[in-house]
Amino acid sequence: MNQVVCFGEIMLRLKSPGYERLFQSPVLEATFGGGEANVAVSLANYGVSSRFVSVLPGNAIGDACERSLRGFGVDTRFIARGTGRLGVYYLEAGSNQRPSKVVYDRADSAIACAARGSIDWNAAFEGCNWFHITGITPALSENAAELSVEAAQTAKMMGLTVSCDLNYRKNLWKYGKSAPEVMGALVKYVDVCIANEEDIQKSLGIEADVDVDSGALNTEAYPELCRTLMETYPGVNCVAVTLRESRSADHNNWSACLFDGHEFSRSRRYEIKNIVDRVGGGDSFSAGLIYGLTHYDKKSDALEFAVAASCLKHTVPGDFNRVTLAEVEALMGGNASGRVQR
C-alpha cells in the first residue's frame, strides 16, 4: 500500500471575495493552503494514504488548520507544535489582463523558526514509500532549509522515493543564501523532479533557451533542459515540466512534458477558459504525477493523469483540489464536455 509523506508550510489563506481588489470590501474569505499540504489532500481524495508533516503554532488557529486536513483524511499525527505563528497569504484573483496578486505575511512562522531535529523523521517515514517536498519550504529560512535537507536525506536513506517540486518563489529567498546554493544540496537526494518553465533555471542555475515571461513556450528546449538537469544530478531519474501558456488571467493553455532519461513524452494540451482559481494548479499536478507513477505502468499515462488533475483544479476555488479519482480519469479518457452528470 502506498503511503506518501508531504512536508512543508501550510498557511492561512485570506482572499478577497470573487474578483474584488484586496480590501475593496471589509471581507476576506479564510481557508488554509500550502504547496505540500495541497498535495497531501489531493492524494487522500484519490484514496492514497497520505501524511502531512509540518510545524504549527500551539494555538486555536493551529488547531483549526490541523482539523481542516484531518477532514480530508490526511494523517496529521506527526505535525509538531512550536513557537511562532501561522503564516498568512493574501490573494486577489485577477481577471483578463489584470493578473492575480499574492501578498505573503509569513515571517517568523512556526516552521521557519523550527530547528533541525524538531521532527523525528525516522518515525514520520516508518512504513512509508514516498516523500514529497517543494522548493518553497527551504526558501523560508535557514532553519527550514536545514530541516528540508535533513528530511530528504533521511527519506533517501530509508529507501523512500523522493519527489521535489522546485517551485521557485523570488519573494521568499531573503535570508542570505541563494536558491541554487540551497536547492542543489536538496536535489541530490531527489528521484523525481517537478518544475515549470522557470524553476530549473532560477532554482538550480541551469540555463536554457526558455523565455519565462512571454507566455509562449519554446518546447524544443525542454528535452535538453531535462537532460542537463539529470546529468547535473545523477540521482534524478525522472523530470516533469508543466507548460503554462498564459493568454490572460482567465485563459491559459495547460500541458506538461516528462523525460525519464530515455523517452520524452508530451501530454495532451488543455485550453482552460474562465479560470476559477489557478492557485494550487502545480500542486495538483504533483499529486497527480505521484498517483500516476505509483498506479500506471506507463509514465506517459502518469503524465496524462497529472495534467488532467491539474486542469480540473482550475475550476475549484481554494488551494485544495476537491476532485475525485473518477473525475480525473473521466477527463483523462476524453470526457471534457462539461455536461451535467445526473
Side-chain angles (χ1 to χ4, degrees):
M1 181 178 181
N2 294 309
Q3 174 94 8
V4 180
V5 180
C6 302
F7 168 65
E9 181 174 35
I10 185 168
M11 294 172 289
L12 176 64
R13 164 180 155 143
L14 298 176
K15 180 187 174 297
S16 53
Y19 294 97
E20 289 185 9
R21 307 302 303 266
L22 279 169
F23 302 106
Q24 181 175 332
S25 62
V27 175
L28 291 173
E29 301 167 352
T31 55
F32 297 100
E36 299 88 350
N38 299 343
V39 171
V41 168
S42 282
L43 289 168
N45 285 341
Y46 304 148
V48 174
S49 180
S50 66
R51 176 177 295 165
F52 180 64
V53 179
S54 188
V55 184
L56 297 180
N59 57 31
I61 301 174
D63 295 343
C65 182
E66 190 170 342
R67 281 197 305 272
S68 74
L69 292 167
R70 288 202 305 268
F72 289 95
V74 175
D75 181 353
T76 63
R77 290 175 297 161
F78 292 91
I79 290 179
R81 297 303 182 106
T83 58
R85 54 191 284 262
L86 189 72
V88 179
Y89 86 90
Y90 298 83
L91 174 63
E92 174 186 294
S95 180
N96 291 296
Q97 283 68 45
R98 176 172 61 86
S100 295
K101 181 185 295 184
V102 170
V103 178
Y104 290 125
D105 177 20
R106 58 204 297 183
D108 301 318
S109 65
I111 193 170
C113 296
R116 189 182 178 100
S118 297
I119 295 167
D120 183 348
W121 292 114
N122 288 298
F125 292 142
E126 186 177 0
C128 301
N129 59 6
W130 195 292
F131 173 59
H132 180 73
I133 193 170
T134 79
I136 297 173
T137 303
L140 298 175
S141 68
E142 191 160 5
N143 282 348
E146 290 177 355
L147 264 179
S148 300
V149 174
E150 179 185 53
Q153 183 180 33
T154 306
K156 191 73 171 177
M157 288 174 56
M158 293 180 65
L160 281 74
T161 298
V162 179
S163 60
C164 179
D165 183 345
L166 296 181
N167 255 339
Y168 178 75
R169 297 289 186 270
K170 64 180 179 181
N171 292 330
L172 292 180
W173 289 97
K174 304 294 186 184
Y175 60 88
K177 290 191 175 180
S178 68
E181 182 181 1
V182 175
M183 294 304 294
L186 177 64
V187 172
K188 69 180 183 179
Y189 300 112
V190 169
D191 300 285
V192 178
C193 191
I194 303 164
N196 67 16
E197 63 267 22
E198 72 172 333
D199 291 336
I200 296 173
Q201 298 177 85
K202 299 293 181 65
S203 292
L204 299 177
I206 295 174
E207 297 299 325
D209 182 21
V210 179
D211 183 351
V212 301
D213 298 314
S214 68
L217 299 174
N218 176 17
T219 57
E220 298 301 317
Y222 287 97
E224 187 58 33
L225 180 62
C226 294
R227 188 175 290 106
T228 301
L229 189 156
M230 294 176 74
E231 289 172 353
T232 307
Y233 298 94
V236 175
N237 57 54
C238 181
V239 181
V241 181
T242 56
L243 307 175
R244 184 184 297 275
E245 300 167 87
S246 184
R247 304 306 186 199
S248 71
D250 311 281
H251 181 189
N252 292 179
N253 294 327
W254 182 248
S255 61
C257 58
L258 183 147
F259 183 64
D260 64 1
H262 304 285
E263 185 177 355
F264 183 80
S265 302
R266 177 78 187 266
S267 77
R268 173 183 173 182
R269 178 172 169 270
Y270 293 92
E271 184 176 20
I272 311 173
K273 296 181 178 180
N274 304 313
I275 292 172
V276 172
D277 193 340
R278 60 164 279 183
V279 176
D283 306 321
S284 59
F285 176 87
S286 293
L289 188 67
I290 293 169
Y291 180 89
L293 290 174
T294 54
H295 287 80
Y296 295 110
D297 293 330
K298 295 182 179 178
K299 289 187 175 67
S300 58
D301 289 338
L303 181 67
E304 292 294 349
F305 183 92
V307 173
S310 54
C311 175
L312 288 173
K313 169 59 192 75
H314 290 71
T315 72
V316 180
D319 265 52
F320 299 151
N321 193 16
R322 300 166 184 257
V323 299
T324 66
L325 175 61
E327 288 170 328
V328 178
E329 288 181 332
L331 180 57
M332 179 183 171
N335 186 0
S337 69
R339 294 186 63 180
V340 176
Q341 303 294 307
R342 303 182 190 274

